[in-house]
Amino acid sequence: MADNSPTSGTELSTSGSTAWPERTSNDEWWPERLSLEILDQNVRDADPLGEEFDYAEEFQKLDLEAVKADIEDVLTDSKDWWPADYGHYGPFMIRMAWHSAGTYRAYDGRGGAAGGRQRFAPINSWPDNANLDKARRLLWPVKQKYGKRLSWSDLIVLAGNVAIESMGFKTFGFGGGREDAFDTDKAVNWGPEEEMETNERFEEPGEIQEGLGASVMGLIYVNPEGPDGNPDPEASAKNIRQTFSRMAMTDKQTAALIAGGHTFGKVHGEGDPDENLGPEPEAAPIEQMGLGWQHEGATKGAMITSGIEGPWTQDPTWWDMGYVDNLLDYEWEPERGPGGAWQWTPKDEELKNAAQDATDEDERVTPMMLTTDIALKRDPDYREIMEEFQESPMAFGMAFAKAWYKLTHRDMGPPERLLGPEVPDETMIWQDPIPEVDHELIGDAEIAELKGEILDSDLSTAQLVKTAWASASTYRDSDKRGGANGARLRLEPQRSWAVNQPEELETILETYEEIQTEFNEGRSDDVRVSLADLIVLGGNAAVEEAAAAAGYEVDVPFEPGRTDATAEQTDADSFEALKPKVDGFRNYIQDGLEQPAETLLVDKADLLNLGPDEMTALVGGMRTLGATYDGSDLGVFTDEPGTLDNDFFANLLSMDTEWEAASEGTQIYEGYDRDTGEHKWTGTRADLIFGSQSRLRAISEVYAADDGEEQLVEDFVDAWTKVMRADRFDLE
């Protein structure tokens, strides 16, 4: 009799070559095809907790002190399956938290600790994160105990704080509120390389490709051995400065983070990782249950991660000045460590065998330094900072505390989003502070009055819409920066951005300021209107009027309560990262841009947390409103601009028009009457994509249909409102 059990007869194949035939995805068939995958993740509900789940409400139920006590218990409960160095997991947890938060890039606000995406590929399998899978497994009992009240993303950061505090340091604070993701963020560009620990991201020597943070694929920052594995401290300093600046860190913050972080723990390289470690988690066999880097050739307790071996200080589980003093007071020379990697050893005999071994109390070891550490001594600017730290340990401690707080909270947005009893009272400039409301808000009567004043002014529909869009669309859901609240459109650098047409913007702002002043000074009560509210209200009024012109009565939702930030509350340099090179919604394309406009349109839509249909409705509506950069006719496929109708879609999809590129390599296209050859329209790739990409065309066909116009108006208003109130965390 045949054995019909599922494990008999045929050996299962995990490679896909026998039992499971391989599939070729659409992206593999057509690699040049515009993917909407990053927008799909904004509307696909992968969260098993459901849409009604309120994490902020659940987090507030926690006894944070009890949670911290449970974490601290984990730190000194060494497990045989992964023994703690020095009997203390503190340094391990600091590395985990740092590597979670350290993926943040100021360029697009993506990465960072929010979402807890260190749990997913590719980050969970980066060489730089080797063995951090064990750190999270050590914390699983804590996560299991508190369940949905404590997200992984909060737990990872909190564990780092508790670890630091357990080793004698006072952290600056902790803010909860990070919700967990349940998949990787497909919008993040981690680099062009196809192999880990390679670098093809340097456009010229020492210059990392724009938009990337790390210098090497699979690392958080830079190669600890030095650029390309060469122990060159000066070159390493350049890479350090560039990569940390991509995370919005100053030289002082960078030095404080490195020095403070390396005050704790050790690196692990008693053997060559390539020879002693099994595959990373994503490539590990199923029976390893998501764990990777099994130590196949190493002896028990000889943990291997990087191939570099040793502690930085004589007391690796206590906060002191050991790192700073060792670095500055002793001379160091490069050598190959036991794992074959470059590291630095002291020339002075005084440090020989000055530290306890991590696993054997009777053994002594010699402190070491990385090339990236020596860089802080060789680079004159970093050295000056390190000497300041040595002269004032208190200044060093405060610098590290604030830099660590920034590192772990940079992607959380304004302080009002932070939860828990340990949120600092002080607001940092990098949190983009705005004033609190100090007056009564406008009500329905005042809103109607102000709408009338705005519509009776000399400002056109296009100007009102573009100004509101320019203010609100700076929002990035990635790090919760930007948006209309604060009215920073009137401040530098935004008021001088080319996309905002500075000369025209100045005139528009003057009109708004006149309306604001007349209204506020004319009140006998405490009701006032901010410029931030007025700009959004003006855009809403223009949309309502344009819809009425098309025969639709709509009421665009408006919630007052925005305030106006000051220049002193604005870090102008950091806001440059929000400056758009392309805004497909306004059909603005910076000269010399090589990327396709439609790709950057999708990227912008993702940062606004839009889905494909919302992006489509907004683009089509903005075009018929005439809200294009510099008043151009690009994409304005209508004879009645200023009317919120479906002309853009109807004319774009019409077979009466054939399209030609204006010139080779251009982003501009000309539309001609198919029968007469007469020129009809001019558009960009950000327009034509809605007729050429199959999924976007399917959405466009809904709006282009004879009965689709009302649907377009409704969807446009919904998407517009979503963007206008994206940064209104006070309403949540």
Side-chain angles (χ1 to χ4, degrees), residues 329-513:
D329 292 348
Y330 297 95
E331 292 302 314
W332 301 82
E333 60 185 355
E335 68 170 10
R336 292 280 187 182
W342 283 110
Q343 58 188 75
W344 293 67
T345 190
K347 293 182 180 181
D348 309 75
E349 290 295 323
E350 186 178 343
L351 280 183
K352 297 293 184 182
N353 297 321
Q356 178 189 309
D357 182 75
T359 58
D360 188 341
E361 294 182 1
D362 297 327
E363 292 291 325
R364 308 296 294 178
V365 297
T366 301
M368 61 85 234
M369 290 284 165
L370 309 174
T371 300
T372 47
D373 297 311
I374 304 301
L376 300 183
K377 185 175 184 177
R378 298 280 184 86
D379 180 270
D381 293 330
Y382 283 138
R383 180 174 185 123
E384 182 179 349
I385 295 167
M386 295 300 295
E387 289 173 346
E388 290 175 6
F389 289 162
Q390 189 176 42
E391 291 172 7
S392 176
M394 184 173 291
F396 172 40
M398 183 54 71
F400 175 63
K402 288 191 172 183
W404 176 262
Y405 181 72
K406 180 178 181 180
L407 169 74
T408 52
H409 294 78
R410 187 68 179 88
D411 60 340
M412 291 192 70
E416 65 206 64
R417 296 192 68 248
L418 276 56
L419 306 175
E422 295 188 3
V423 177
D425 293 331
E426 181 181 352
T427 298
M428 306 296 175
I429 188 68
W430 50 264
Q431 293 177 300
D432 303 335
I434 56 173
E436 293 185 2
V437 176
D438 60 358
H439 54 79
E440 292 183 26
L441 301 178
I442 54 177
D444 291 343
E446 292 82 16
I447 289 172
E449 175 189 343
L450 287 166
K451 281 183 181 179
E453 291 292 332
I454 294 168
L455 294 176
D456 286 343
S457 72
D458 293 333
L459 300 180
S460 67
T461 295
Q463 288 175 320
L464 294 171
V465 171
K466 282 194 297 183
T467 304
W469 181 264
S471 182
S473 67
T474 54
Y475 176 74
R476 305 193 308 194
D477 199 57
S478 53
D479 59 357
K480 310 298 188 285
R481 296 193 71 199
N485 204 355
R488 287 188 166 91
L489 180 67
R490 76 195 199 287
L491 304 175
E492 294 296 345
Q494 293 186 39
R495 70 179 299 146
S496 296
W497 288 348
V499 66
N500 292 335
Q501 299 170 240
E503 291 185 7
E504 181 183 55
L505 178 61
E506 184 175 351
T507 300
I508 295 169
L509 290 175
E510 286 175 357
T511 300
Y512 271 128
E513 287 166 352

Side-chain angles (χ1 to χ4, degrees), residues 182-420:
F182 287 86
D183 196 0
T184 186
D185 184 355
K186 298 176 177 64
V188 182
N189 173 19
W190 297 118
E193 299 85 0
E194 296 182 357
E195 294 183 18
M196 292 293 174
E197 296 188 278
T198 59
N199 60 67
E200 300 169 8
R201 57 187 62 201
F202 288 87
E203 297 179 339
E204 56 184 80
E207 293 297 325
I208 302 169
Q209 180 181 324
E210 185 180 49
L212 300 181
S215 65
V216 179
M217 172 58 75
L219 301 187
I220 300 297
Y221 300 118
V222 301
N223 189 332
E225 295 183 73
D228 297 319
N230 298 315
D232 182 342
E234 287 79 7
S236 182
K238 182 175 182 179
N239 277 2
I240 291 169
R241 181 168 284 112
Q242 189 169 38
T243 57
F244 274 79
S245 69
R246 299 285 176 95
M247 199 175 60
M249 293 291 178
T250 65
D251 274 3
K252 186 173 184 178
Q253 292 165 340
T254 301
L257 277 173
I258 295 174
H262 291 181
T263 294
F264 303 111
K266 67 183 291 288
V267 285
H268 302 79
E270 291 192 12
D272 186 336
D274 293 337
E275 297 177 2
N276 291 280
L277 297 185
E280 66 277 13
E282 290 298 319
I286 194 170
E287 64 270 19
Q288 290 183 13
M289 297 297 288
L291 292 178
W293 298 292
Q294 294 297 310
H295 288 48
E296 298 174 344
T299 60
K300 184 175 180 180
M303 301 172 192
I304 297 171
T305 299
S306 63
I308 304 172
E309 173 60 31
W312 286 274
T313 75
Q314 293 87 315
D315 194 354
T317 58
W318 194 252
W319 174 264
D320 58 21
M321 295 299 292
Y323 173 87
V324 177
D325 290 341
N326 284 354
L327 178 66
L328 296 180
D329 292 348
Y330 297 95
E331 292 302 314
W332 301 82
E333 60 185 355
E335 68 170 10
R336 292 280 187 182
W342 283 110
Q343 58 188 75
W344 293 67
T345 190
K347 293 182 180 181
D348 309 75
E349 290 295 323
E350 186 178 343
L351 280 183
K352 297 293 184 182
N353 297 321
Q356 178 189 309
D357 182 75
T359 58
D360 188 341
E361 294 182 1
D362 297 327
E363 292 291 325
R364 308 296 294 178
V365 297
T366 301
M368 61 85 234
M369 290 284 165
L370 309 174
T371 300
T372 47
D373 297 311
I374 304 301
L376 300 183
K377 185 175 184 177
R378 298 280 184 86
D379 180 270
D381 293 330
Y382 283 138
R383 180 174 185 123
E384 182 179 349
I385 295 167
M386 295 300 295
E387 289 173 346
E388 290 175 6
F389 289 162
Q390 189 176 42
E391 291 172 7
S392 176
M394 184 173 291
F396 172 40
M398 183 54 71
F400 175 63
K402 288 191 172 183
W404 176 262
Y405 181 72
K406 180 178 181 180
L407 169 74
T408 52
H409 294 78
R410 187 68 179 88
D411 60 340
M412 291 192 70
E416 65 206 64
R417 296 192 68 248
L418 276 56
L419 306 175

Side-chain angles (χ1 to χ4, degrees), residues 67-79 82-94 96 135 138-139 142 155-156 158-167 317:
V67 176
K68 293 177 68 174
D70 287 339
I71 294 172
E72 191 157 3
D73 287 343
V74 169
L75 299 182
T76 52
D77 183 13
S78 183
K79 302 295 186 183
W82 193 258
D85 294 336
Y86 315 103
H88 202 300
Y89 289 117
F92 196 28
M93 297 300 170
I94 292 172
M96 174 192 64
L138 289 166
L139 286 172
V142 179
L155 176 56
I156 287 170
L158 183 60
N161 271 30
V162 172
I164 292 172
E165 292 169 353
S166 74
M167 295 184 289
T317 58

